[in-house]
């Protein structure tokens, strides 16, 4: 099919605004799937996606549609995630398109991530087709949503298509708008092969499967191709399209979206964002690449059974090919043995990766408390990048510590604005700007340390506003902060696994909380065990585990009281001696209970 009859588009929206439901209706309307194949969330192939009701991976699918003008068009759809942690998935999918459907829930209106995803699309110069979804709901307010589109997003209200993906209203109008408004792909005049790799996965039987958008030229079975990043050459074994399952075809032409299977055996051979070209007639330069994604959150992941270390390493390699935003490197801990220091885009991303390790690779893992990267300037003029408390330098050698900060955009009903400002202040942040959207909602622009929004910020945000608030954030650089390393001393000995980097003002409260958790999991010994939180040489919090008491007077029956006193004094002396020389044994499950995130 010629490029004039091809349209490549994506669907972008806030989480739970109906992207996947619209994808299902488009597949049915174009007869891409039969009635027998029909099921909800058809493109969400992962069990995890179905359980959580969210899209984690972008899913390409090719459809054929006969328009009102009588011509049959090929429509390549890339369904995208909506959650902020998967914005990298969105940006990669958009790079393979010429247009995007922007969905807005008519009952909820424009949300924080609607704005963020629209910015990603406009950066790629995509044509935007606005769709107001869920117009059949009793709470739908179409007029208000159109005003928001004009005032917040600068999109003309008359361009909006009212629809209900659930009930199939407006589906034909959306398809016609895609054909009429989205430009056809433009092929480079030299017609040399240029394939952009926007995703990939590892198949145990066929090796690496590369998801590609062909920008110019064509690729077919038996052709010799090479990758720009590595310079390696491969023979193409199979090409095909998604319908939505992988279906082999003879050739992929310019404008097509499909997959290429070459003789790539290892997960590290293909890089997402790379350019694939012909060996005999290569294109002179690579396609404009995707921006390198920087992990925002770090956590240690260790196998529960140390013998699973190699299996975990292989599992992580296979996961990384499917999700290049996930990074890992080897590290070891005195408490947990050998494991990996892993980087994620956010907490949900971290949770999804851990769950995929458990489900897809049957790995039983422990994850440590999440942390961020600090830039430490030393007195000798050198700089140190610290993402692990064990690498934190001595206080006397530190000139300045810079912590990562983020710009957070919170969309919140007007009556909760005071609570939100209080929450931002608690988290060492500041509200820089407030903007009224309509009569009920306000956008707060805040600057917050990334470390403060890691664990419970989103949970508190939702609980304070009964679920009506939404947030989006973007990395905003670094600023100076009074960060300190807090050590946990068990019976006077520091335990490296429990060390953490905290703000000086919060060290005491965090130390108290951690000491209280340790008191619950460390068993009693024959002497008093002191659990102390220390910053430098200063103790900021303490808990004590009472000694087990052996009844040494049980064998005394009758007789003089001095006999009992003598035994009790002897026991007292023994406990003093034991306190000096005794060692506290911390069981493995105590480490797991304290270090596991979410406990």
């Amino acid at each position: 099919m010629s490029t004039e009859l091809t349209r490549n588009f994506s669907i972008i929206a806030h989480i739970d605004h109906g992207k996947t439901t619209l994808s299902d209706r488009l597949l049915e309307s174009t007869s891409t799937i039969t009635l027998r194949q029909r099921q909800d969330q058809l493109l969400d192939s992962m069990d995890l996606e179905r359980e959580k009701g969210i899209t984690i991976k972008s899913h390409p699918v090719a459809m054929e549609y006969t328009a009102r003008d009588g011509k049959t068009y090929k429509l390549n759809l890339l369904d995208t995630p909506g959650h902020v942690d998967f914005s990298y998935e969105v940006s990669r999918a958009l790079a393979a398109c010429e247009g995007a459907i922007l969905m807005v829930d008519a009952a909820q209106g424009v949300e924080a991530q609607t704005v963020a995803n629209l910015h990603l699309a406009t950066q790629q110069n995509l044509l935007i087709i606005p769709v107001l979804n869920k117009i059949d709901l009793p709470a739908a307010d179409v007029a208000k949503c159109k005003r928001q589109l004009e005032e917040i997003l600068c999109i003309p209200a008359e361009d909006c298509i009212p629809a209900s993906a659930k009930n199939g209203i407006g589906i034909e109008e959306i398809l016609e708008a895609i054909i009429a408004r989205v430009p056809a792909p433009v092929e480079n005049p030299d017609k040399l092969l240029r394939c952009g790799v926007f995703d990939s996965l590892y198949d145990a039987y066929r090796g690496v499967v590369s998801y590609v958008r062909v920008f110019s030229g064509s690729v077919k079975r038996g052709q010799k191709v090479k990758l720009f990043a590595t310079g390696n050459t491969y023979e193409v074994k199979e090409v095909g399209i998604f319908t939505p399952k992988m279906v082999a075809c003879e050739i992929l032409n310019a404008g097509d979206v499909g997959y290429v299977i070459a003789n790539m055996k290892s997960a590290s051979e293909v890089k997402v964002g790379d350019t694939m070209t012909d060996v005999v007639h290569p294109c002179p330069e690579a396609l404009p690449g995707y921006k390198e994604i920087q992990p925002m959150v770090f956590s240690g992941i260790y196998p529960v059974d140390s013998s699973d270390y190699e299996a975990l390493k292989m599992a992580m390699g296979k996961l990384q090919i499917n999700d290049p935003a996930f990074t890992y490197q080897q590290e070891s801990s005195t408490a947990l043995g050998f494991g990996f220091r892993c980087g994620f885009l956010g907490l949900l991303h971290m949770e999804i990766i851990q769950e995929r390790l458990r489900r897809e690779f049957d790995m039983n893992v422990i994850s440590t408390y999440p942390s961020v990267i600090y830039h430490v300037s030393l007195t000798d003029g050198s700089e140190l990048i610290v993402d692990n408390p064990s690498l934190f330098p001595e206080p006397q050698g530190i000139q300045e510590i810079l912590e990562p900060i983020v710009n957070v955009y919170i969309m919140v009903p007007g009556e909760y604005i005071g609570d939100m400002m209080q929450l931002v202040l608690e988290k060492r942040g500041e509200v820089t700007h407030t903007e009224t959207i309509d009569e009920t909602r306000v956008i707060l622009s805040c600057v917050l340390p990334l470390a403060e929004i890691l664990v419970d910020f989103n949970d508190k945000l939702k609980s304070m506003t009964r679920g009506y608030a939404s947030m989006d954030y973007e990395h905003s650089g670094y600023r100076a902060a009074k960060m300190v390393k807090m050590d946990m001393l068990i019976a006077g000995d520091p335990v490296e696994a429990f060390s953490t980097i905290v703000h000086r003002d919060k060290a005491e409260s965090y130390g108290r909380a951690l000491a209280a958790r340790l008191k619950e999991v460390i068993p009693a010994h024959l002497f008093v065990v002191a659990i102390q939180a220390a910053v430098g040489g200063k103790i900021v919090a303490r808990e004590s585990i009472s000694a087990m008491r052996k009844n040494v007077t049980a064998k005394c029956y009758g007789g003089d009281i001095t006999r009992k006193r003598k035994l009790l004094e002897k026991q007292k002396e023994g406990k003093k001696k034991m306190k000096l020389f005794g060692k506290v044994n911390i069981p493995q499950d105590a480490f797991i209970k304290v270090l596991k995130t979410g406990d």
Side-chain angles (χ1 to χ4, degrees):
M1 197 174 283
S2 68
T3 54
E4 291 80 24
L5 299 177
T6 301
R7 300 289 185 271
N8 296 315
F9 69 100
S10 188
I11 304 176
I12 54 175
H14 183 78
I15 191 168
D16 205 28
H17 275 204
K19 297 179 302 300
T20 307
T21 311
L22 178 63
S23 306
D24 294 345
R25 294 298 87 79
L26 291 175
L27 291 172
E28 289 162 21
S29 300
T30 55
S31 302
T32 305
I33 57 168
T34 61
L35 201 61
R36 188 169 64 85
Q37 293 172 304
R38 177 180 170 175
Q39 65 180 62
D40 289 339
Q41 292 177 262
L42 186 79
L43 292 182
D44 288 350
S45 52
M46 262 188 245
D47 289 342
L48 214 50
E49 291 178 312
R50 294 179 173 281
E51 282 173 26
K52 290 183 177 286
I54 59 172
T55 302
I56 295 167
K57 292 293 299 175
S58 57
H59 299 275
V61 60
M63 304 175 284
E64 288 196 354
Y65 174 66
T66 303
R68 289 172 186 163
D69 60 8
K71 296 177 183 175
T72 300
Y73 291 83
K74 180 188 275 187
L75 307 178
N76 292 315
L77 158 67
L78 287 96
D79 182 29
T80 62
H83 195 279
V84 61
D85 280 13
F86 303 110
S87 58
Y88 186 52
E89 286 282 331
V90 180
S91 66
R92 281 163 30 208
L94 294 179
C97 302
E98 279 79 35
I101 294 173
L102 177 72
M103 291 194 75
V104 176
D105 188 324
Q108 294 181 16
V110 173
E111 298 276 11
Q113 282 150 240
T114 315
V115 181
N117 287 339
L118 177 67
H119 287 328
L120 286 174
T122 50
Q123 282 168 15
Q124 305 270 8
N125 297 319
L126 301 191
L127 186 129
I128 306 296
I129 301 173
V131 172
L132 282 182
N133 192 27
K134 306 186 185 180
I135 58 165
D136 55 323
L137 291 179
D141 190 340
V142 175
K144 186 180 85 171
C145 289
K146 285 186 175 180
R147 279 201 314 275
Q148 287 181 357
L149 283 170
E150 287 194 333
E151 292 168 9
I152 303 169
L153 306 180
C154 304
I155 293 173
E158 60 270 16
D159 290 353
C160 279
I161 301 171
S164 169
K166 189 174 183 181
N167 293 327
I169 301 167
I171 301 302
E172 191 176 339
E173 286 76 9
I174 293 170
L175 287 165
E176 290 295 331
I178 292 164
I179 288 161
R181 300 188 204 175
V182 176
V186 178
E187 186 176 12
N188 194 300
D190 63 16
K191 295 191 183 297
L192 297 173
L193 176 62
R194 293 175 178 85
C195 282
V197 181
F198 66 87
D199 205 351
S200 51
L201 60 85
Y202 184 82
D203 186 294
Y205 301 101
R206 298 191 285 183
V208 177
V209 180
S210 303
Y211 292 18
V212 299
R213 155 74 199 273
V214 184
F215 286 91
S216 67
S218 60
V219 59
K220 59 186 177 181
R221 184 178 176 180
Q223 190 171 344
K224 291 283 180 69
V225 293
K226 77 167 184 175
L227 292 169
F228 265 82
T230 59
N232 294 341
T233 61
Y234 304 95
E235 184 181 339
V236 176
K237 299 295 183 186
E238 184 183 314
V239 298
I241 57 171
F242 300 92
T243 66
K245 289 185 169 59
M246 289 194 291
V247 176
C249 63
E250 288 298 314
I251 191 168
L252 288 177
N253 292 308
D256 286 346
V257 174
Y259 67 89
V260 173
I261 300 173
N263 51 342
M264 299 179 200
K265 299 299 179 207
S266 90
S268 59
E269 287 184 67
V270 67
K271 183 183 177 186
V272 169
D274 201 357
T275 303
M276 188 181 287
T277 189
D278 190 71
V279 171
V280 182
H281 302 291
C283 58
E285 74 291 318
L287 293 164
Y290 306 94
K291 64 175 182 179
E292 279 291 323
I293 196 73
Q294 296 299 318
M296 303 279 276
V297 177
F298 287 83
S299 174
I301 292 184
Y302 296 84
V304 170
D305 185 348
S306 56
S307 61
D308 289 337
Y309 173 77
E310 286 298 328
L312 179 62
K313 188 176 180 180
M314 284 184 67
M316 285 186 170
K318 289 173 183 175
L319 258 187
Q320 193 182 40
I321 188 177
N322 192 230
D323 186 354
F326 163 62
T327 62
Y328 68 96
Q329 61 186 50
Q330 291 174 241
E331 76 164 4
S332 61
S333 158
T334 50
L336 301 172
F338 288 100
F340 299 92
R341 189 81 179 158
C342 302
F344 311 92
L345 294 182
L347 276 186
L348 179 67
H349 188 211
M350 184 174 91
E351 184 188 327
I352 294 297
I353 290 289
Q354 289 171 20
E355 197 59 36
R356 288 183 71 184
L357 283 170
R358 291 185 183 104
R359 293 189 185 200
E360 296 175 26
F361 302 98
D362 201 25
M363 298 303 307
N364 198 4
V365 296
I366 307 162
S367 62
T368 62
Y369 203 78
S371 64
V372 297
I373 290 182
Y374 296 96
H375 288 194
V376 182
S377 300
L378 302 177
T379 49
D380 62 3
S382 60
E383 276 206 7
L384 197 63
I385 291 176
V386 177
D387 64 358
N388 194 330
S390 63
L391 303 174
F392 203 77
E394 291 299 319
Q396 60 269 23
I398 297 172
Q399 181 78 35
E400 187 182 46
I401 300 170
L402 301 176
E403 68 171 344
I405 58 169
V406 287
N407 289 331
V408 180
Y409 307 101
I410 304 170
M411 205 166 281
V412 60
E415 65 262 32
Y416 300 112
I417 191 167
D419 293 339
M420 280 300 98
M421 287 183 165
Q422 185 62 37
L423 177 62
V424 170
L425 287 173
E426 279 175 22
K427 297 293 185 181
R428 298 193 289 117
E430 56 182 309
V431 178
T432 55
H433 183 64
T434 60
E435 184 183 343
T436 305
I437 303 169
D438 52 35
E439 60 275 9
T440 59
R441 292 193 303 167
V442 178
I443 286 187
L444 301 180
S445 299
C446 317
V447 177
L448 283 150
L450 176 60
E452 293 290 337
I453 69 165
L454 276 189
V455 181
D456 60 353
F457 185 79
N458 199 42
D459 292 343
K460 285 186 175 178
L461 181 88
K462 293 291 184 187
S463 60
M464 277 182 173
T465 60
R466 300 180 188 175
Y468 285 112
S470 64
M471 67 170 271
D472 184 59
Y473 64 86
E474 61 187 16
H475 195 50
S476 177
Y478 285 78
R479 74 175 177 197
K482 297 175 182 175
M483 307 307 292
V484 291
K485 179 185 178 184
M486 190 177 76
D487 290 308
M488 295 306 294
L489 311 178
I490 312 291
D493 294 327
V495 180
E496 180 206 317
F498 300 133
S499 297
T500 184
I501 300 169
V502 292
H503 193 269
R504 189 182 293 280
D505 297 343
K506 295 202 169 188
E508 187 177 331
S509 59
Y510 183 77
R512 285 182 192 280
L514 189 54
R517 285 174 72 185
L518 285 168
K519 185 180 178 181
E520 291 172 13
V521 297
I522 294 174
H525 287 61
L526 289 169
F527 54 94
V528 175
V529 176
I531 302 168
Q532 297 165 307
V535 174
K538 184 183 176 185
I539 304 298
V540 295
R542 173 182 171 129
E543 291 281 351
S544 296
I545 301 172
S546 301
M548 284 194 295
R549 188 168 184 276
K550 183 180 177 184
N551 189 358
V552 290
T553 61
K555 60 187 176 183
C556 295
Y557 48 93
D560 196 346
I561 189 70
T562 54
R563 176 65 181 150
K564 287 186 179 179
R565 282 185 185 150
K566 187 179 176 185
L567 288 170
L568 289 169
E569 285 297 321
K570 191 176 178 184
Q571 184 187 39
K572 194 174 172 183
E573 289 299 316
K575 283 188 184 294
K576 273 187 187 175
K577 194 174 180 182
M578 203 179 285
K579 193 174 180 181
L580 290 172
F581 300 107
K583 291 287 181 189
V584 178
N585 292 319
I586 306 173
Q588 182 75 13
D589 65 332
F591 284 105
I592 294 169
K593 282 175 187 170
V594 174
L595 293 175
K596 246 189 176 176
T597 54
D599 280 10

